[in-house]
Amino acid sequence: MIYDTAQAWMEAPCKRVLFYGMSGLGKTHVSQMLRDAGGWFHYSIDYRIGTRYMGELIVDNAKAHAMQVPFLRDLLLSDSIYIGSNITFHNLAPVSTYLGKPGDPARGGMPIDEYRRRQEQFRQAEINALMDTGYFIERAGRLYGYPHFICDTGGSICEWVEGDDPDDPLLTELARHCLLVYIEGSEAHTAELIRRFDRAPKPMAYQPEFLARMWEEYLSENKCEADEVDPDAFIRRTYARALAHRQPRYERMAKWGVRVSADEVAQATDAARFDALIADAIDRRTD
């Protein structure tokens, strides 16, 4: 760890942390709190994915749909209108919309091969965005004068690393620059995330082997063909299983840094309380 004691953390002139864990446990909330407090640069992996690595894909997909409408097609071909993606830290819907859901096209689904292709695009984009962390640390200090840095990752980071591998290239690179902080949820948090997702299912990114297993299980259990799959039913079923699948992967990542609970993060309402929270986590790690 780049801060081996609580004292080293508290006295560090430049604090650098990376948050990871399930979506909905406070990663972005605490990142924005620190940014608003001043002195902290907030690097959002999802925002970087949507602007730098998948921006063109997202816009081209929107244009492809517009080209199917004669009125819009003529305007596009004559350069009379412009189609862009309005991604912000608070609105990452264009990325989710592009990833989509597999299944019956009449119910908003797409062919599984196309879905897998977009999943692979996202995997590569997320890895690239994570590998940009060191560059953004340097850029935040050189260009904007920020002494402190937060890397706010997506919930799928655990799918692309092997926490038990001491030479894992992505974790090695990230740990070289930041203190990795695992935000850990309780069973109650997990249940609430599932309930929230069930009310409003949204696209997700999955490890390819896990997705293949979930897809085959769904087809077998429901005795249906690929183009008969209810997209929302599939991702609802898969989401709860994905949380269980990811939990041990997060746990294996935890040895690369420190862990805090989602309840502790919720109580870190200012920069001073956040500093104390991380100091306590380092103390627990080193006891």
Side-chain angles (χ1 to χ4, degrees):
M1 298 192 307
I2 62 173
Y3 312 104
D4 53 0
T5 66
Q7 183 177 359
W9 161 260
M10 294 299 289
E11 295 177 354
C14 300
K15 296 182 169 70
R16 305 194 300 267
V17 296
L18 177 148
F19 299 130
Y20 70 94
M22 290 186 295
S23 297
L25 295 184
K27 298 189 299 294
T28 300
H29 175 76
V30 73
S31 297
Q32 291 173 346
M33 179 274 292
L34 291 171
R35 183 190 66 196
D36 293 344
W40 287 85
F41 183 90
H42 177 194
Y43 177 47
S44 166
I45 294 297
D46 285 339
Y47 181 78
R48 178 68 168 169
I49 290 170
T51 53
R52 170 64 176 85
Y53 291 109
M54 296 186 72
E56 189 173 280
L57 297 171
I58 291 166
V59 171
D60 283 353
N61 184 54
K63 288 179 179 178
H65 283 276
M67 287 289 286
Q68 298 173 24
V69 180
F71 174 73
L72 295 178
R73 181 179 185 277
D74 290 342
L75 291 173
L76 276 173
L77 291 176
S78 62
D79 290 328
S80 300
I81 60 171
Y82 169 80
I83 293 178
S85 174
N86 191 28
I87 291 178
T88 68
F89 278 19
H90 301 285
N91 178 23
L92 298 165
V95 178
S96 293
T97 300
Y98 178 76
L99 283 176
K101 309 168 188 177
D104 182 1
R107 289 181 279 185
M110 68 177 66
I112 187 61
D113 287 344
E114 175 63 14
Y115 183 71
R116 287 180 172 133
R117 187 178 73 87
R118 297 187 186 193
Q119 288 276 311
E120 176 58 20
Q121 290 171 341
F122 183 89
R123 184 186 73 85
Q124 290 290 345
E126 184 163 30
I127 291 171
N128 289 336
L130 288 163
M131 292 297 283
D132 286 343
T133 298
Y135 164 70
F136 270 91
I137 290 172
E138 185 275 333
R139 183 171 182 254
R142 169 179 51 81
L143 190 60
Y144 303 112
Y146 283 103
H148 311 308
F149 181 90
I150 323 142
C151 181
D152 173 15
T153 72
S156 53
I157 182 176
C158 65
E159 303 284 22
W160 327 130
V161 302
E162 294 297 337
D164 285 337
D165 180 2
D167 298 317
D168 182 87
L170 187 50
L171 288 174
T172 298
E173 172 66 11
L174 295 173
R176 186 166 70 90
H177 295 290
C178 298
L179 175 66
L180 273 57
V181 181
Y182 172 30
I183 300 181
E184 186 176 17
S186 64
E187 291 184 4
H189 286 123
T190 301
E192 175 57 28
L193 290 176
I194 293 172
R195 283 194 294 270
R196 191 185 307 168
F197 190 90
D198 192 59
R199 289 195 298 270
K202 62 179 184 178
M204 290 272 291
Y206 302 109
Q207 192 182 65
E209 297 81 5
F210 173 80
L211 174 60
R213 187 168 71 253
M214 292 300 99
W215 184 251
E216 292 305 319
E217 285 181 7
Y218 186 92
L219 295 180
S220 176
E221 290 175 6
N222 291 275
K223 297 180 175 55
C224 63
E225 299 297 325
D227 59 358
E228 298 172 334
V229 169
D230 179 337
D232 282 346
F234 172 76
I235 63 171
R236 281 191 178 101
R237 177 190 184 278
T238 304
Y239 180 73
R241 288 161 175 79
L243 295 187
H245 159 78
R246 288 179 176 180
Q247 190 61 42
R249 302 189 67 84
Y250 288 136
E251 288 291 332
R252 291 194 287 274
M253 289 177 65
K255 66 188 68 175
W256 289 78
V258 300
R259 65 172 73 209
V260 295
S261 72
D263 289 337
E264 288 175 321
V265 168
Q267 295 169 20
T269 53
D270 57 38
R273 289 186 177 91
F274 174 76
D275 282 348
L277 169 64
I278 299 302
D280 288 344
I282 295 172
D283 272 340
R284 290 197 298 265
R285 164 74 185 241
T286 55
D287 282 346

